[in-house]
Amino acid sequence: ETSASDDNTACLSPREKALVGQPLAIAQAVMPTGTRFIPPGGVVTMDYRQDRHNADYDANKVVTRVWCG
């Protein structure tokens, strides 16, 4: 069973996986339409969708995690 808390990256391309540590603006240009860009402390639904792209970023607008779900 897969949960939303798993670090799932199966839906991501190698280019998308390489966005960790990059500026948010670059991730926004690379990730597909519909990607959730989640700020620090951001609230999102936790329903799992294996094809949904997500990117967490920090206060400096640097991507800290990319994941599917």
Side-chain angles (χ1 to χ4, degrees):
E1 179 176 313
T2 304
S3 73
S5 63
D6 290 338
D7 189 12
N8 183 1
T9 60
C11 73
L12 302 173
S13 70
R15 183 176 183 200
E16 292 166 338
K17 291 176 185 178
L19 291 169
V20 174
Q22 298 297 314
L24 176 60
I26 292 174
Q28 290 171 323
V30 170
M31 299 290 278
T33 300
T35 296
R36 297 190 299 184
F37 295 97
I38 306 165
V43 178
V44 296
T45 61
M46 295 306 292
D47 59 310
Y48 181 78
R49 287 188 28 213
Q50 67 183 13
D51 63 335
R52 179 171 44 208
H53 293 66
N54 303 282
D56 299 337
Y57 62 92
D58 65 17
N60 296 317
K61 295 188 177 180
V62 172
V63 176
T64 57
R65 179 180 174 217
V66 289
W67 52 287
C68 309

